[in-house]
Amino acid sequence: MPRIEWTENDHPDSPLQYARWHSESGAAPPRRVVVADDGIRAATAHRLACEGTALLWHGDFHGARQLLGALGRRVDRKAPAPGATPADAFHLHRRARGHRARVLGMLLVRLDADHRLTLRRAPDVRDACREAYGPPDGPTVVSLRELLGVIGAHEWRAKGVHVPALDARIHPHYGVFSPVRGEYVDLVARAPLPGAAPRGDAPRTRTAFDVGTGTGVLAAVLARRGVDRVVATDINPRAVACARDNVERLGLAGRVDVLGADLFPAGRATLAVCNPPWLPARPTSAVERGVYDPGGAMLHGFLAGLAEHLEPAGEGWLVLSDLAEHLQLRSREQLLTAFDEAGLRVVDRLGIAPRHPRAADPADPLHTARAAEVTSLWRLVPGRK
């Protein structure tokens, strides 16, 4: 594991201290680290962070949070340029967010060998760190910004997110995209199931695949709708553990199997559902993998393998926002061409407008695209037009 080194008083003759370095975003350990406490000014901290010098915090925990907020405000003073096109605006926005993350990521804290944070007035973070990082393995240094995310994820996991379509709560784990935006869940909850039995006849046995299940919320919705067996897959081990936890909580373990797999499980199903990351861009953190997918790899992988994993008269449901189209990252023509190249045709499309606050926030740099966004459930079957 990489490690960082520092001296307590930044003097060449002082004993060298070191600890393991951990970053969920894969950031390299900072080359220079100085010790800081409540006496440092925000302007000095901002200058050092922009120069690439990290600050290992030895002061009060709440003082560290206040400094982090002050750093964020200083970074935000310089808004990104508007961009000549929606795509330019998106890339400039992402660049600005990346710069912000790098600067704020320079404020560090040290976790003891048991994940304990020993700063004054610090909360007990041991359970949150064990959930995110696993068992402790010696002293570790992490960014305060990441640690606050770990604490927040622990709180979300404990209380859960209410999902109206289930009339129950889903408990997201750290690093697994939370179903806080319910539009895509509502679409899966109301789309007509393939293979539905005519009125009065015995129901047909149905198997569904939930490809890239995440928290398992869509697999749970399908099981609650009467699908006999759901096989949910995800390549992310955290998502597999999260989905299994939620399936167990909901009493659906006998009808939903969760597997660690890249895209499809073996066999065929009457229905295959996929809600891939909506934007073809590079993620910069574990949670962003639920939103950004370089080159739309998961989208194209699902489409390419769909026909061979469907039973006769089976359907594929692709749940996808058109935000990428409004940002000029992908065109509707490119999406329809991808359907055709995969040997698929569209039998129906259900749409729903966003309900999240940013869609109505004119101060958001991507407001125009967000306000026009529609999330669609594309019902696909094998066979070209």
Side-chain angles (χ1 to χ4, degrees):
M1 294 291 292
R3 70 179 191 177
I4 67 167
E5 301 175 346
W6 72 95
T7 56
E8 288 299 322
N9 60 8
D10 201 27
H11 190 278
D13 296 330
S14 297
L16 193 65
Q17 307 288 322
Y18 64 89
R20 292 190 315 124
W21 166 253
H22 184 88
S23 169
E24 285 293 315
S25 65
R31 295 181 179 179
R32 174 169 166 76
V33 180
V34 297
V35 171
D37 58 23
D38 301 276
I40 193 169
R41 299 182 59 185
T44 302
H46 179 252
R47 175 179 58 79
L48 289 171
C50 289
E51 292 172 351
T53 297
L55 298 96
L56 181 60
W57 191 256
H58 279 16
D60 177 77
F61 176 76
H62 294 286
R65 294 193 63 168
Q66 290 173 353
L67 178 60
L68 193 69
L71 289 174
R73 289 189 293 274
R74 285 179 175 272
V75 173
D76 293 342
R77 288 176 185 173
K78 187 177 180 180
T85 67
D88 289 339
F90 170 77
H91 292 302
L92 290 169
H93 173 67
R94 290 285 290 163
R95 183 185 301 173
R97 299 299 295 179
H99 171 71
R100 188 180 199 274
R102 285 190 295 274
V103 172
L104 270 60
M106 288 293 178
L107 185 56
L108 313 180
V109 293
R110 179 183 181 275
L111 301 171
D112 282 353
D114 62 349
H115 285 330
R116 189 187 303 269
L117 185 62
T118 57
L119 301 176
R120 295 191 306 275
R121 294 198 294 168
D124 187 346
V125 301
R126 288 174 293 176
D127 288 344
C129 289
R130 276 191 290 267
E131 290 173 357
Y133 301 145
D137 185 23
T140 306
V141 171
V142 299
S143 81
L144 175 61
R145 184 173 183 263
E146 178 180 298
L147 180 62
L148 293 177
V150 166
I151 295 170
H154 174 69
E155 294 170 351
W156 274 110
R157 178 170 175 171
K159 70 179 181 180
V161 177
H162 180 68
V163 178
L166 289 171
D167 192 24
R169 304 187 82 80
I170 287 289
H171 297 260
H173 292 195
Y174 179 77
V176 182
F177 192 71
S178 174
V180 290
R181 284 191 58 175
E183 299 97 334
Y184 71 98
V185 181
D186 293 343
L187 287 170
V188 172
R190 66 182 174 91
L193 290 169
R199 185 174 298 178
D201 292 351
R204 291 173 52 183
T205 300
R206 294 188 297 267
T207 298
F209 294 161
D210 177 19
V211 177
T213 191
T215 61
V217 61
L218 297 185
V221 168
L222 294 171
R224 284 280 182 90
R225 291 194 61 187
V227 174
D228 296 321
R229 179 172 178 261
V230 183
V231 182
T233 67
D234 207 293
I235 196 172
N236 180 1
R238 284 173 168 162
V240 172
C242 178
R244 286 175 177 166
D245 176 37
N246 284 307
V247 166
E248 185 71 31
R249 288 174 183 266
L250 294 169
L252 298 171
R255 296 171 58 199
V256 179
D257 296 324
V258 184
L259 308 176
D262 185 7
L263 298 178
F264 295 93
R268 295 176 179 264
T270 311
L271 173 65
V273 178
C274 184
N275 174 38
W278 291 346
L279 296 176
R282 185 175 64 86
T284 59
S285 67
V287 174
E288 282 195 346
R289 294 189 185 101
V291 180
Y292 300 101
D293 180 25
M298 184 176 179
L299 165 64
H300 292 288
F302 173 73
L303 295 177
L306 181 58
E308 65 186 78
H309 285 91
L310 288 179
E311 296 175 351
E315 286 186 16
W317 289 358
L318 173 66
V319 186
L320 192 67
S321 161
D322 65 357
L323 182 61
E325 298 174 20
H326 296 294
L327 293 173
Q328 297 179 350
L329 305 177
R330 178 178 56 235
S331 69
R332 177 60 56 89
E333 181 181 0
Q334 287 174 319
L335 180 63
L336 297 179
T337 298
F339 294 165
D340 188 60
E341 290 177 347
L344 304 168
R345 62 183 177 88
V346 179
V347 296
D348 194 13
R349 179 172 70 90
L350 309 177
I352 189 169
R355 299 189 293 264
H356 60 89
R358 285 189 294 179
D361 180 9
D364 188 291
L366 305 180
H367 169 69
T368 301
R370 295 192 194 280
E373 179 187 6
V374 173
T375 301
S376 296
L377 185 152
W378 297 86
R379 295 176 57 199
L380 305 169
V381 298
R384 292 179 172 84
K385 294 180 181 178

